[in-house]
Amino acid sequence: MSVIDAKDIARAADLLHDVVAPTPLEYSRWLSELVGGDVFLKCENLQRTGSFKLRGAYVRMARLTKAERRRGVVAASAGNHAQGVALAAQLLGIKSTVFMPHGAPIPKEKATRAYGAEIRFVGTSIDECLRAAREFEAETGAVLIHPFDHPDIVAGQATTGLEIVEQCPQVRTVVVPTGGGGLVAGIASAMQRDGVPIEVIGVQAAGAAAYPASLEAGEPVQLDHMATMADGIAVGLPGKVPFETVQRYVGEMRTVGEDSLSKALLMVLERAKLVVEPAGAAAVAALLDEPTRFKPPVVVVLSGGNIDPLLLMRVIRHGMAAAGRYLSLRVRIPDTPGGLARLLTQLADLDVNIIEVLHERISETLHLDEVEVALQLELRGEDHRGRVLSTLTSNDYTYTLN
């Protein structure tokens, strides 16, 4: 039986007592207004190493024998688990090797190296890295520290749920970003309290959602393809250990699209003043998609905050576009004196903030009497966007959206 119980979680909490600090539970006024009841943010993005992963990694490694510690450990991760393993290894005096996919976020790679781990790049997915890590385990005797598929890992992640219960005893719904399932399974295990109904809902990126099909099949099913900005939850095969718990205790597994993820990240940054990565914003995205689905009080887990600044800029822009607050388009105007000035004046009259203008006079697609203007505009929302496009059309401008 791989399902953990209250004693397992309590023992994990004892091991972590001087290693991790309880993360804040912050009241969210804007989400509470949206849902129609109290909503709180569980800020695991503020945890040491920037995510919840240190909890499970440390519990797993603290229980290794002396002989196992001498052989070292190996892990596979896009970054958050890598940092958890690297720091836990440093604290316990264990040599660590981490396989990361090519294209892993640079800040996560640098942080993992800073904790003393040896980094090896392989493939483009966590699943490929896991295969390489297992081969390394077989060759060297190093102990594989799986990111989610081990009872000690699940027990460590469950301490997040233990904190939620202590910080918000009245909680009725917990919403959790989900990849392989270690965090959602751990939290769901911690929510099993006699006489207190608490629903746990997992959230996956639609482009990397292995759980819905697996739950329907009754066993973990491998995805053929994944495509999502949420690298922290891009896992193609659920773990057998957390899967059993998810089957038993998780009320629903929802999916969110890329637009929802970017809007959620932007909203958390603007309204909560918290930096999260796309995976860490998945639970907020689910609330934004269907706020009436969640019975308050609701606790939303922000699972991680490790994001490359360049990706953050792109996601913010994507989020603004998805929310109708950013518009990139190309407009054709007559090649006559004052043509550009008239266009910009009309946009200014609509209270548009023009971020960038590129005036292009020569192109094989343009007529001799035309000029194309590439514009980047900051808007106030969907209604404002509609008015801008309607005005362009009514003034006989031809435009294309980028």
Side-chain angles (χ1 to χ4, degrees):
M1 181 68 68
S2 58
V3 176
I4 63 171
D5 57 25
K7 292 182 179 178
D8 296 321
I9 301 171
R11 286 192 287 267
D14 287 341
L15 280 174
L16 292 171
H17 180 71
D18 294 323
V19 177
V20 302
T23 52
L25 189 75
E26 299 288 344
Y27 179 73
S28 174
R29 183 178 58 82
W30 60 281
L31 283 176
S32 296
E33 291 174 353
L34 190 67
V35 170
D38 290 342
V39 177
F40 300 87
L41 302 174
K42 179 59 172 170
C43 302
E44 282 298 289
N45 59 309
L46 301 180
Q47 183 57 261
R48 197 172 179 184
T49 74
S51 86
F52 66 95
K53 288 290 191 176
L54 176 61
R55 298 174 184 269
Y58 189 89
V59 170
R60 171 79 172 98
M61 293 162 64
R63 290 174 172 168
L64 296 178
T65 66
K66 291 183 179 179
E68 288 173 326
R69 294 188 186 196
R70 283 195 295 270
R71 298 202 301 269
V73 298
V74 60
S77 171
N80 287 344
H81 179 61
Q83 292 175 70
V85 168
L87 177 56
Q90 185 182 75
L91 294 172
L92 293 165
I94 302 172
K95 175 179 170 53
S96 60
T97 302
V98 178
F99 287 86
M100 301 182 79
H102 291 285
I106 294 174
K108 295 182 180 183
E109 175 205 343
K110 289 186 177 295
T112 303
R113 291 187 190 277
Y115 292 129
E118 178 186 345
I119 304 294
R120 300 191 182 189
F121 290 100
V122 62
T124 58
S125 70
I126 297 298
D127 299 298
E128 291 174 283
C129 291
L130 273 171
R131 286 194 291 271
R134 288 192 177 100
E135 292 173 1
F136 184 86
E137 179 185 35
E139 294 169 1
T140 67
V143 179
L144 174 64
I145 307 301
H146 199 282
F148 47 83
D149 205 13
H150 193 280
D152 287 343
I153 296 290
V154 176
Q157 319 308 25
T159 60
T160 308
L162 197 64
E163 290 177 17
I164 290 172
V165 171
E166 293 170 349
Q167 294 168 323
C168 186
Q170 72 275 26
V171 63
R172 289 296 173 267
T173 308
V174 184
V175 192
V176 189
T178 302
L183 180 62
V184 72
I187 288 177
S189 299
M191 295 298 115
Q192 304 311 306
R193 296 189 291 163
D194 293 338
V196 182
I198 302 173
E199 184 179 27
V200 177
I201 298 173
V203 183
Q204 295 206 286
Y211 262 98
S214 296
L215 290 169
E216 185 176 349
E219 62 181 1
V221 175
Q222 176 74 53
L223 287 178
D224 295 329
H225 174 72
M226 292 185 294
T228 178
M229 70 177 80
D231 62 279
I233 53 174
V235 177
L237 181 66
K240 292 180 179 179
V241 172
F243 185 80
E244 184 177 348
T245 299
V246 170
Q247 278 186 308
R248 181 178 299 191
Y249 293 142
V250 175
E252 183 183 2
M253 193 64 68
R254 300 179 69 85
T255 61
V256 294
E258 300 299 285
D259 283 356
S260 295
L261 286 168
S262 57
K263 283 194 288 186
L265 187 151
L266 178 62
M267 292 295 287
V268 171
L269 181 63
E270 285 190 330
R271 302 300 295 272
K273 308 299 184 285
L274 292 167
V275 176
V276 294
E277 59 193 276
V284 174
L287 261 71
L288 295 179
D289 280 355
E290 192 178 348
T292 58
R293 164 63 184 85
F294 305 91
K295 182 179 179 180
V298 181
V299 171
V300 177
V301 179
L302 305 180
S303 56
N306 296 312
I307 183 168
D308 188 311
L310 293 177
L311 175 61
L312 179 60
M313 289 192 299
R314 294 199 300 271
V315 173
I316 288 173
R317 181 167 292 185
H318 187 266
M320 290 180 67
R325 293 172 50 196
Y326 175 84
L327 182 61
S328 178
L329 74 166
R330 305 180 76 87
V331 183
R332 292 192 178 190
I333 64 174
D335 188 12
T336 58
L340 178 60
R342 281 192 295 272
L343 171 63
L344 299 183
T345 298
Q346 289 166 355
L347 291 173
D349 289 343
L350 289 166
D351 201 23
V352 171
N353 182 23
I354 301 172
I355 301 172
E356 187 173 312
V357 179
L358 178 62
H359 196 231
E360 186 174 294
R361 302 182 63 89
I362 301 174
S363 171
E364 61 183 18
T365 63
L366 291 173
H367 297 301
L368 287 175
D369 58 350
E370 286 183 324
V371 173
E372 190 168 64
V373 182
L375 297 165
Q376 294 182 25
L377 311 176
E378 183 183 5
L379 309 176
R380 296 186 180 279
E382 289 291 350
D383 291 343
H384 195 197
R385 182 179 187 273
R387 292 199 304 275
V388 169
L389 295 180
S390 177
T391 298
L392 291 174
T393 300
S394 64
N395 283 283
D396 297 324
Y397 287 112
T398 300
Y399 65 83
T400 55
L401 304 179
N402 292 337

